[in-house]
Amino acid sequence: HRLPPPYNAMPKNVIVIGAGFGGLGCAKTFADAKDSSGVAVTVIDAKSWFTIGGTWQYAWAGRVDTSSTTWDLSKCGAQFPGVSMLLDTDVASLDLEGKKVVLGDGSALEYDHLVLSPGVVGDPSSVPGMDATLDMYSHDSIERQRADVQDIIANARAGETQTLLVAIGAVPYKCPVAPFEAAFIADDVLRRHGVRDKVDIVVTAPVAWPLPDPAKEVFARLFEEKNVRFLPEKTVVSIEGGVKAEFARGDAIAASKIWSVYPQRAPDFVKATGVCNPRGFVPVNIATNGVEGSDGVYCIGDCCGIAVGGKPHPKAGEFAWQMGEMVAHEIMRTESYEHSRLGACIAECGAGAGVLVAPDYTQCVKDPEGGKPSCAIQDRKTDGEAAKLDWVNKYIRNIFGEGGRRFEPAAAA
Protein backbone atom coordinates (compact mmCIF):
# COMPACT_ATOMS: atom_id res chain seq x y z
CA HIS A 1 0.00 0.00 0.00
CA ARG A 2 1.09 3.56 -0.62
CA LEU A 3 2.04 5.46 2.53
CA PRO A 4 0.89 9.06 2.97
CA PRO A 5 3.80 11.51 2.84
CA PRO A 6 4.55 13.93 5.64
CA TYR A 7 2.80 17.28 5.35
CA ASN A 8 5.85 19.17 4.11
CA ALA A 9 6.35 16.66 1.28
CA MET A 10 2.90 17.25 -0.15
CA PRO A 11 2.89 18.99 -3.54
CA LYS A 12 1.82 22.61 -3.23
CA ASN A 13 0.22 23.36 -6.59
CA VAL A 14 -1.80 21.03 -8.79
CA ILE A 15 -3.00 22.44 -12.09
CA VAL A 16 -5.69 20.57 -14.00
CA ILE A 17 -6.18 21.64 -17.61
CA GLY A 18 -9.69 20.81 -18.80
CA ALA A 19 -13.05 20.81 -17.02
CA GLY A 20 -14.54 17.81 -18.77
CA PHE A 21 -15.06 14.37 -17.25
CA GLY A 22 -11.38 13.71 -16.57
CA GLY A 23 -10.47 17.08 -15.13
CA LEU A 24 -13.58 17.30 -12.97
CA GLY A 25 -13.16 13.72 -11.78
CA CYS A 26 -9.65 14.62 -10.64
CA ALA A 27 -10.69 17.89 -9.00
CA LYS A 28 -13.69 16.27 -7.26
CA THR A 29 -11.42 13.62 -5.75
CA PHE A 30 -9.20 16.31 -4.24
CA ALA A 31 -12.26 18.23 -3.04
CA ASP A 32 -13.76 15.14 -1.39
CA ALA A 33 -10.51 13.91 0.21
CA LYS A 34 -10.47 13.80 3.99
CA ASP A 35 -6.93 15.14 4.00
CA SER A 36 -5.71 17.07 1.00
CA SER A 37 -3.99 19.63 3.21
CA GLY A 38 -1.24 21.52 1.51
CA VAL A 39 -2.63 20.94 -1.97
CA ALA A 40 -3.88 23.91 -3.97
CA VAL A 41 -5.92 22.72 -6.97
CA THR A 42 -6.63 24.98 -9.96
CA VAL A 43 -8.78 23.89 -12.92
CA ILE A 44 -8.36 25.79 -16.19
CA ASP A 45 -10.77 25.58 -19.12
CA ALA A 46 -11.26 27.62 -22.27
CA LYS A 47 -15.03 27.21 -21.86
CA SER A 48 -17.38 28.10 -19.03
CA TRP A 49 -19.75 25.20 -19.58
CA PHE A 50 -19.84 21.42 -19.25
CA THR A 51 -21.46 19.04 -21.70
CA ILE A 52 -22.02 15.32 -22.12
CA GLY A 53 -21.76 14.11 -25.71
CA GLY A 54 -24.37 11.45 -25.01
CA THR A 55 -27.02 14.17 -24.78
CA TRP A 56 -26.40 15.71 -28.19
CA GLN A 57 -28.46 13.24 -30.21
CA TYR A 58 -31.55 14.30 -28.27
CA ALA A 59 -31.04 17.82 -29.64
CA TRP A 60 -30.52 16.96 -33.30
CA ALA A 61 -33.41 14.47 -33.06
CA GLY A 62 -35.64 17.33 -31.91
CA ARG A 63 -36.31 16.22 -28.33
CA VAL A 64 -34.50 19.04 -26.49
CA ASP A 65 -33.11 22.44 -27.32
CA THR A 66 -29.35 22.53 -27.88
CA SER A 67 -29.03 24.78 -24.83
CA SER A 68 -30.23 21.88 -22.66
CA THR A 69 -27.04 19.94 -23.46
CA THR A 70 -24.76 22.36 -21.56
CA TRP A 71 -24.42 23.24 -17.89
CA ASP A 72 -22.90 26.42 -16.42
CA LEU A 73 -19.67 25.51 -14.61
CA SER A 74 -19.88 28.61 -12.44
CA LYS A 75 -22.69 26.79 -10.60
CA CYS A 76 -20.65 23.76 -9.50
CA GLY A 77 -18.55 25.43 -6.81
CA ALA A 78 -20.38 23.87 -3.86
CA GLN A 79 -19.33 20.41 -5.08
CA PHE A 80 -15.68 21.44 -5.38
CA PRO A 81 -14.73 23.13 -2.10
CA GLY A 82 -11.18 24.42 -2.11
CA VAL A 83 -10.81 24.13 -5.89
CA SER A 84 -10.14 27.28 -7.93
CA MET A 85 -11.64 27.38 -11.40
CA LEU A 86 -10.28 29.61 -14.15
CA LEU A 87 -13.03 29.46 -16.78
CA ASP A 88 -13.01 31.09 -20.21
CA THR A 89 -9.23 30.95 -19.90
CA ASP A 90 -7.00 29.82 -22.76
CA VAL A 91 -3.71 27.98 -22.31
CA ALA A 92 -1.10 29.35 -24.72
CA SER A 93 1.79 26.99 -23.97
CA LEU A 94 3.34 24.59 -21.48
CA ASP A 95 6.84 24.80 -20.05
CA LEU A 96 7.29 21.24 -18.80
CA GLU A 97 10.92 21.75 -17.82
CA GLY A 98 10.20 24.94 -15.90
CA LYS A 99 6.89 23.55 -14.59
CA LYS A 100 4.79 26.48 -15.78
CA VAL A 101 1.50 26.90 -17.62
CA VAL A 102 1.43 30.02 -19.78
CA LEU A 103 -2.03 31.48 -20.24
CA GLY A 104 -3.44 33.33 -23.19
CA ASP A 105 -2.92 36.70 -21.51
CA GLY A 106 0.81 35.98 -21.11
CA SER A 107 0.72 35.28 -17.39
CA ALA A 108 2.24 32.05 -16.06
CA LEU A 109 1.18 29.66 -13.30
CA GLU A 110 3.69 27.39 -11.60
CA TYR A 111 2.83 23.82 -10.70
CA ASP A 112 4.21 20.86 -8.80
CA HIS A 113 1.89 18.47 -10.61
CA LEU A 114 0.16 19.05 -13.93
CA VAL A 115 -2.87 17.02 -15.02
CA LEU A 116 -3.60 17.29 -18.72
CA SER A 117 -7.25 16.67 -19.52
CA PRO A 118 -7.87 19.05 -22.43
CA GLY A 119 -9.71 16.57 -24.64
CA VAL A 120 -8.87 16.35 -28.31
CA VAL A 121 -9.42 18.44 -31.40
CA GLY A 122 -10.84 17.17 -34.66
CA ASP A 123 -8.21 17.61 -37.38
CA PRO A 124 -9.45 16.77 -40.89
CA SER A 125 -6.30 18.09 -42.60
CA SER A 126 -5.07 14.58 -43.45
CA VAL A 127 -8.23 13.87 -45.47
CA PRO A 128 -8.72 16.40 -48.29
CA GLY A 129 -12.29 17.69 -48.38
CA MET A 130 -13.35 16.27 -45.01
CA ASP A 131 -13.48 19.77 -43.54
CA ALA A 132 -16.57 20.41 -45.67
CA THR A 133 -18.45 17.65 -43.86
CA LEU A 134 -20.04 17.73 -40.43
CA ASP A 135 -17.81 16.94 -37.43
CA MET A 136 -19.83 14.57 -35.28
CA TYR A 137 -17.73 15.30 -32.20
CA SER A 138 -18.19 19.06 -32.19
CA HIS A 139 -20.93 20.59 -30.08
CA ASP A 140 -21.16 23.32 -32.72
CA SER A 141 -22.41 20.69 -35.22
CA ILE A 142 -25.66 19.91 -33.42
CA GLU A 143 -27.80 22.43 -35.29
CA ARG A 144 -26.30 21.33 -38.61
CA GLN A 145 -27.15 17.72 -37.79
CA ARG A 146 -30.71 18.75 -36.99
CA ALA A 147 -30.92 20.56 -40.36
CA ASP A 148 -29.42 17.56 -42.16
CA VAL A 149 -32.08 15.26 -40.75
CA GLN A 150 -34.84 17.65 -41.77
CA ASP A 151 -33.38 17.95 -45.29
CA ILE A 152 -33.25 14.17 -45.65
CA ILE A 153 -36.87 13.86 -44.50
CA ALA A 154 -38.07 16.59 -46.87
CA ASN A 155 -36.20 15.16 -49.87
CA ALA A 156 -37.35 11.62 -49.13
CA ARG A 157 -40.96 12.80 -48.93
CA ALA A 158 -40.44 14.40 -52.33
CA GLY A 159 -39.53 10.96 -53.67
CA GLU A 160 -35.73 11.35 -53.75
CA THR A 161 -33.60 8.44 -52.53
CA GLN A 162 -31.22 9.62 -49.83
CA THR A 163 -27.98 8.32 -48.33
CA LEU A 164 -26.68 9.22 -44.86
CA LEU A 165 -23.02 8.25 -44.51
CA VAL A 166 -21.36 8.12 -41.09
CA ALA A 167 -17.63 7.97 -41.87
CA ILE A 168 -15.04 7.20 -39.19
CA GLY A 169 -11.88 8.96 -40.33
CA ALA A 170 -9.33 7.36 -38.03
CA VAL A 171 -8.89 5.40 -34.81
CA PRO A 172 -8.69 5.90 -31.92
CA TYR A 173 -11.54 8.34 -31.47
CA LYS A 174 -13.50 9.33 -28.42
CA CYS A 175 -16.69 7.48 -27.45
CA PRO A 176 -16.35 4.49 -29.82
CA VAL A 177 -20.08 3.66 -29.89
CA ALA A 178 -21.20 7.16 -30.94
CA PRO A 179 -21.12 6.67 -34.74
CA PHE A 180 -23.28 3.57 -34.45
CA GLU A 181 -25.63 5.26 -31.99
CA ALA A 182 -26.05 8.15 -34.44
CA ALA A 183 -26.97 5.71 -37.20
CA PHE A 184 -29.51 3.95 -34.98
CA ILE A 185 -31.10 7.19 -33.77
CA ALA A 186 -31.29 8.47 -37.35
CA ASP A 187 -33.00 5.19 -38.28
CA ASP A 188 -35.56 5.71 -35.52
CA VAL A 189 -36.27 9.34 -36.48
CA LEU A 190 -36.69 8.48 -40.15
CA ARG A 191 -39.04 5.61 -39.34
CA ARG A 192 -41.16 7.91 -37.18
CA HIS A 193 -41.47 10.26 -40.15
CA GLY A 194 -42.39 7.43 -42.51
CA VAL A 195 -39.43 7.82 -44.90
CA ARG A 196 -37.00 5.14 -43.78
CA ASP A 197 -37.51 3.11 -46.96
CA LYS A 198 -36.16 6.04 -48.99
CA VAL A 199 -32.92 6.39 -46.99
CA ASP A 200 -29.76 4.27 -47.04
CA ILE A 201 -27.77 4.55 -43.78
CA VAL A 202 -24.12 3.52 -44.00
CA VAL A 203 -21.35 3.45 -41.38
CA THR A 204 -17.73 3.00 -42.49
CA ALA A 205 -14.64 2.35 -40.37
CA PRO A 206 -10.95 2.13 -41.29
CA VAL A 207 -10.55 -1.00 -39.13
CA ALA A 208 -12.30 -4.36 -38.97
CA TRP A 209 -14.18 -3.47 -35.79
CA PRO A 210 -13.67 -0.38 -33.57
CA LEU A 211 -15.54 -1.66 -30.49
CA PRO A 212 -14.63 -4.47 -28.05
CA ASP A 213 -14.94 -7.82 -29.80
CA PRO A 214 -17.73 -9.11 -27.50
CA ALA A 215 -19.98 -6.35 -28.87
CA LYS A 216 -19.79 -7.62 -32.45
CA GLU A 217 -22.63 -10.11 -32.28
CA VAL A 218 -25.30 -7.84 -30.86
CA PHE A 219 -24.35 -4.93 -33.14
CA ALA A 220 -24.35 -7.21 -36.20
CA ARG A 221 -27.90 -8.22 -35.34
CA LEU A 222 -28.91 -4.56 -34.93
CA PHE A 223 -27.38 -3.65 -38.30
CA GLU A 224 -29.53 -6.32 -39.92
CA GLU A 225 -32.71 -5.43 -38.00
CA LYS A 226 -32.39 -1.74 -38.78
CA ASN A 227 -31.04 -2.14 -42.31
CA VAL A 228 -27.91 -0.15 -41.44
CA ARG A 229 -24.93 -1.09 -43.56
CA PHE A 230 -21.61 -1.35 -41.72
CA LEU A 231 -18.60 -1.40 -44.04
CA PRO A 232 -15.34 -2.26 -42.24
CA GLU A 233 -11.79 -1.57 -43.41
CA LYS A 234 -12.87 1.48 -45.39
CA THR A 235 -10.23 4.20 -45.03
CA VAL A 236 -11.44 7.58 -46.27
CA VAL A 237 -8.72 9.24 -48.34
CA SER A 238 -10.69 12.21 -49.66
CA ILE A 239 -14.16 13.73 -49.83
CA GLU A 240 -15.37 15.49 -52.95
CA GLY A 241 -17.81 18.37 -52.67
CA GLY A 242 -18.75 17.38 -49.14
CA VAL A 243 -20.90 14.49 -50.40
CA LYS A 244 -18.68 11.87 -52.06
CA ALA A 245 -16.32 9.80 -49.92
CA GLU A 246 -13.43 8.11 -51.71
CA PHE A 247 -11.65 5.19 -50.08
CA ALA A 248 -8.13 3.79 -50.13
CA ARG A 249 -9.10 0.81 -52.30
CA GLY A 250 -10.43 3.03 -55.07
CA ASP A 251 -14.15 2.73 -54.36
CA ALA A 252 -16.44 5.57 -53.36
CA ILE A 253 -19.82 6.33 -51.78
CA ALA A 254 -21.98 9.22 -52.98
CA ALA A 255 -24.11 10.51 -50.12
CA SER A 256 -26.77 13.12 -49.49
CA LYS A 257 -25.17 13.99 -46.15
CA ILE A 258 -21.89 12.92 -44.55
CA TRP A 259 -21.36 12.92 -40.79
CA SER A 260 -17.65 12.47 -40.18
CA VAL A 261 -15.55 11.38 -37.26
CA TYR A 262 -12.59 13.66 -37.93
CA PRO A 263 -9.14 12.27 -37.12
CA GLN A 264 -8.47 13.42 -33.56
CA ARG A 265 -5.32 14.60 -31.78
CA ALA A 266 -4.10 16.55 -28.77
CA PRO A 267 -4.58 20.34 -28.82
CA ASP A 268 -1.76 22.48 -30.25
CA PHE A 269 -0.38 23.60 -26.89
CA VAL A 270 0.10 19.94 -25.90
CA LYS A 271 1.45 18.88 -29.29
CA ALA A 272 4.05 21.69 -29.16
CA THR A 273 5.70 20.11 -26.10
CA GLY A 274 6.85 17.10 -28.12
CA VAL A 275 5.24 14.54 -25.81
CA CYS A 276 2.75 13.21 -28.39
CA ASN A 277 3.12 9.98 -30.35
CA PRO A 278 2.90 9.95 -34.17
CA ARG A 279 -0.90 9.65 -33.99
CA GLY A 280 -1.11 12.85 -31.95
CA PHE A 281 -1.89 11.44 -28.49
CA VAL A 282 0.13 11.53 -25.27
CA PRO A 283 1.38 8.04 -24.35
CA VAL A 284 1.04 7.31 -20.65
CA ASN A 285 1.72 4.56 -18.14
CA ILE A 286 -1.60 2.74 -17.74
CA ALA A 287 -0.89 2.12 -14.03
CA THR A 288 -0.50 5.84 -13.19
CA ASN A 289 -1.40 7.86 -16.29
CA GLY A 290 1.99 9.50 -15.84
CA VAL A 291 3.75 10.97 -18.88
CA GLU A 292 7.12 9.32 -19.29
CA GLY A 293 10.07 11.69 -19.04
CA SER A 294 7.97 14.59 -17.71
CA ASP A 295 8.26 15.00 -13.95
CA GLY A 296 4.94 15.47 -12.22
CA VAL A 297 2.90 15.44 -15.44
CA TYR A 298 -0.13 13.22 -16.03
CA CYS A 299 -2.50 12.93 -18.98
CA ILE A 300 -6.04 11.58 -18.73
CA GLY A 301 -9.09 11.20 -20.93
CA ASP A 302 -9.27 11.50 -24.69
CA CYS A 303 -5.88 13.22 -25.01
CA CYS A 304 -3.89 10.28 -23.65
CA GLY A 305 -2.84 7.25 -25.65
CA ILE A 306 -3.18 3.75 -24.17
CA ALA A 307 -3.21 0.49 -26.10
CA VAL A 308 -4.18 -2.83 -24.55
CA GLY A 309 -3.67 -5.99 -26.57
CA GLY A 310 -3.11 -3.96 -29.71
CA LYS A 311 -6.43 -2.10 -29.44
CA PRO A 312 -7.05 1.40 -28.07
CA HIS A 313 -8.19 1.68 -24.46
CA PRO A 314 -11.47 3.70 -24.49
CA LYS A 315 -10.89 7.02 -22.73
CA ALA A 316 -14.09 9.06 -22.84
CA GLY A 317 -16.64 9.84 -20.15
CA GLU A 318 -16.56 7.43 -17.25
CA PHE A 319 -13.06 6.17 -18.05
CA ALA A 320 -11.73 9.73 -18.03
CA TRP A 321 -13.41 10.38 -14.67
CA GLN A 322 -11.82 7.23 -13.24
CA MET A 323 -8.40 8.19 -14.58
CA GLY A 324 -8.83 11.57 -12.89
CA GLU A 325 -9.65 9.88 -9.59
CA MET A 326 -6.60 7.63 -9.88
CA VAL A 327 -4.23 10.52 -10.60
CA ALA A 328 -5.54 12.53 -7.64
CA HIS A 329 -4.98 9.58 -5.33
CA GLU A 330 -1.55 9.04 -6.87
CA ILE A 331 -0.61 12.65 -6.11
CA MET A 332 -2.02 12.44 -2.56
CA ARG A 333 -0.51 8.97 -2.11
CA THR A 334 -3.77 7.75 -0.65
CA GLU A 335 -3.24 4.71 1.53
CA SER A 336 -5.08 1.53 0.46
CA TYR A 337 -6.71 3.14 -2.59
CA GLU A 338 -8.21 0.50 -4.90
CA HIS A 339 -8.75 1.63 -8.46
CA SER A 340 -11.63 0.49 -10.68
CA ARG A 341 -11.47 0.90 -14.45
CA LEU A 342 -14.95 -0.47 -15.25
CA GLY A 343 -16.87 1.75 -17.65
CA ALA A 344 -20.47 1.80 -18.79
CA CYS A 345 -21.43 3.06 -22.22
CA ILE A 346 -24.96 2.77 -23.54
CA ALA A 347 -25.52 2.99 -27.28
CA GLU A 348 -29.12 3.98 -27.81
CA CYS A 349 -30.95 2.17 -30.57
CA GLY A 350 -34.22 4.11 -30.74
CA ALA A 351 -37.66 3.25 -29.34
CA GLY A 352 -36.25 3.21 -25.78
CA ALA A 353 -33.80 0.41 -26.50
CA GLY A 354 -30.04 0.43 -26.05
CA VAL A 355 -26.95 -1.73 -25.77
CA LEU A 356 -24.83 -1.54 -22.65
CA VAL A 357 -21.14 -1.97 -23.45
CA ALA A 358 -19.17 -2.31 -20.19
CA PRO A 359 -15.43 -2.82 -20.70
CA ASP A 360 -13.37 -3.53 -17.57
CA TYR A 361 -9.67 -2.64 -17.61
CA THR A 362 -9.13 -2.90 -13.87
CA GLN A 363 -6.78 -5.87 -14.12
CA CYS A 364 -4.78 -4.11 -16.85
CA VAL A 365 -4.17 -1.19 -14.51
CA LYS A 366 -3.19 -3.47 -11.63
CA ASP A 367 -0.94 -5.62 -13.81
CA PRO A 368 0.14 -3.75 -16.96
CA GLU A 369 2.15 -6.71 -18.23
CA GLY A 370 -0.24 -9.58 -17.65
CA GLY A 371 -3.67 -8.09 -16.91
CA LYS A 372 -6.43 -8.73 -19.43
CA PRO A 373 -9.53 -6.65 -20.13
CA SER A 374 -13.03 -8.08 -20.08
CA CYS A 375 -16.27 -6.74 -21.50
CA ALA A 376 -19.91 -7.33 -20.58
CA ILE A 377 -22.66 -6.71 -23.12
CA GLN A 378 -26.34 -6.27 -22.30
CA ASP A 379 -29.05 -5.80 -24.91
CA ARG A 380 -31.45 -3.48 -23.07
CA LYS A 381 -34.46 -3.79 -25.36
CA THR A 382 -36.91 -1.88 -23.16
CA ASP A 383 -34.89 0.31 -20.79
CA GLY A 384 -31.75 1.28 -22.70
CA GLU A 385 -32.69 4.94 -22.96
CA ALA A 386 -33.77 5.07 -19.32
CA ALA A 387 -30.43 3.60 -18.27
CA LYS A 388 -28.61 6.16 -20.42
CA LEU A 389 -30.51 9.06 -18.81
CA ASP A 390 -29.82 7.68 -15.33
CA TRP A 391 -26.11 7.59 -16.20
CA VAL A 392 -26.15 11.18 -17.48
CA ASN A 393 -27.98 12.48 -14.43
CA LYS A 394 -25.67 10.63 -12.04
CA TYR A 395 -22.77 12.71 -13.31
CA ILE A 396 -24.82 15.91 -13.30
CA ARG A 397 -25.46 15.27 -9.58
CA ASN A 398 -21.77 14.52 -8.97
CA ILE A 399 -20.74 17.82 -10.56
CA PHE A 400 -23.62 20.19 -9.75
CA GLY A 401 -25.21 18.57 -6.71
CA GLU A 402 -28.79 17.54 -6.10
CA GLY A 403 -29.96 20.97 -7.26
CA GLY A 404 -28.29 20.61 -10.65
CA ARG A 405 -30.59 20.77 -13.66
CA ARG A 406 -31.62 17.26 -14.65
CA PHE A 407 -31.49 16.20 -18.26
CA GLU A 408 -35.05 15.28 -19.22
CA PRO A 409 -35.73 15.07 -22.97
CA ALA A 410 -39.26 15.02 -24.33
CA ALA A 411 -40.67 11.75 -25.56
CA ALA A 412 -39.81 10.83 -29.14
CA ALA A 413 -42.54 12.01 -31.51
Side-chain angles (χ1 to χ4, degrees):
H1 299 309
R2 298 186 182 95
L3 296 177
Y7 173 83
N8 61 8
M10 290 290 284
K12 299 298 183 184
N13 294 312
V14 176
I15 294 180
V16 180
I17 298 179
F21 273 98
L24 293 179
C26 184
K28 188 77 164 66
T29 304
F30 281 115
D32 290 346
K34 292 181 179 178
D35 183 12
S36 59
S37 56
V39 182
V41 180
T42 301
V43 177
I44 305 171
D45 199 288
K47 307 185 306 301
S48 60
W49 45 270
F50 174 78
T51 189
I52 297 176
T55 64
W56 298 358
Q57 71 269 22
Y58 292 95
W60 60 254
R63 297 177 58 184
V64 298
D65 292 332
T66 299
S67 61
S68 296
T69 65
T70 61
W71 287 260
D72 184 352
L73 282 169
S74 69
K75 297 180 179 179
C76 73
Q79 296 297 104
F80 295 82
V83 174
S84 298
M85 292 206 179
L86 298 181
L87 304 176
D88 290 320
T89 301
D90 291 319
V91 173
S93 63
L94 302 174
D95 178 358
L96 300 186
E97 186 174 342
K99 291 194 169 185
K100 295 179 182 179
V101 176
V102 180
L103 304 180
D105 63 4
S107 62
L109 301 177
E110 296 184 349
Y111 65 82
D112 296 293
H113 286 275
L114 175 65
V115 184
L116 297 172
S117 185
V120 290
V121 295
D123 183 356
S125 61
S126 62
V127 184
M130 183 172 274
D131 60 346
T133 67
L134 180 148
D135 177 7
M136 275 189 57
Y137 286 82
S138 170
H139 189 266
D140 292 341
S141 293
I142 293 176
E143 290 303 318
R144 182 174 170 184
Q145 277 187 283
R146 189 199 300 262
D148 281 356
V149 171
Q150 294 305 313
D151 283 349
I152 288 173
I153 291 170
N155 291 334
R157 283 178 172 164
E160 299 177 22
T161 300
Q162 301 286 288
T163 297
L164 172 61
L165 172 60
V166 180
I168 300 171
V171 295
Y173 59 93
K174 60 183 182 179
C175 193
V177 303
F180 302 103
E181 182 177 61
F184 295 155
I185 296 297
D187 164 79
D188 186 57
V189 172
L190 297 172
R191 289 182 190 278
R192 291 177 186 277
H193 284 81
V195 296
R196 182 62 180 90
D197 60 332
K198 289 287 187 180
V199 185
D200 187 18
I201 301 177
V202 186
V203 181
T204 63
V207 294
W209 181 240
L211 304 184
D213 288 341
K216 273 184 180 179
E217 183 178 346
V218 65
F219 276 84
R221 177 180 57 75
L222 288 167
F223 295 148
E224 185 173 356
E225 286 179 1
K226 298 176 179 297
N227 194 26
V228 170
R229 291 196 292 144
F230 172 60
L231 304 179
E233 299 180 329
K234 291 282 189 183
T235 301
V236 182
V237 294
S238 66
I239 295 180
E240 182 180 324
V243 292
K244 183 180 179 182
E246 298 174 334
F247 300 97
R249 295 180 180 176
D251 53 333
I253 295 177
S256 310
K257 305 290 182 182
I258 298 180
W259 294 354
S260 295
V261 177
Y262 286 8
Q264 296 168 357
R265 61 167 175 82
D268 288 340
F269 69 85
V270 176
K271 187 179 177 182
T273 65
V275 298
C276 295
N277 62 23
R279 291 192 174 185
F281 299 92
V282 180
V284 298
N285 181 338
I286 190 174
T288 64
N289 274 79
V291 179
E292 186 175 353
S294 298
D295 180 45
V297 180
Y298 303 85
C299 188
I300 61 180
D302 294 315
C303 190
C304 76
I306 306 175
V308 176
K311 297 194 76 170
H313 179 323
K315 304 166 294 182
E318 198 152 49
F319 285 117
W321 185 279
Q322 292 166 357
M323 290 178 189
E325 288 180 338
M326 182 179 74
V327 166
H329 285 297
E330 179 76 17
I331 292 171
M332 292 187 292
R333 301 186 185 181
T334 306
E335 188 175 6
S336 302
Y337 168 65
E338 292 289 335
H339 180 65
S340 171
R341 190 66 65 83
L342 170 62
C345 182
I346 299 171
E348 288 182 73
C349 304
V355 177
L356 171 66
V357 181
D360 189 348
Y361 288 83
T362 304
Q363 294 306 313
C364 303
V365 177
K366 289 182 177 179
D367 180 8
E369 297 297 325
K372 303 292 184 185
S374 60
C375 185
I377 305 294
Q378 294 180 13
D379 190 358
R380 309 284 288 264
K381 295 180 182 297
T382 59
D383 67 344
E385 179 180 306
K388 176 72 162 278
L389 296 177
D390 285 346
W391 183 91
V392 167
N393 285 309
K394 175 184 75 172
Y395 279 98
I396 296 303
R397 287 194 302 274
N398 284 346
I399 298 166
F400 297 95
E402 292 297 331
R405 171 174 51 83
R406 288 177 55 82
F407 184 70
E408 297 178 322

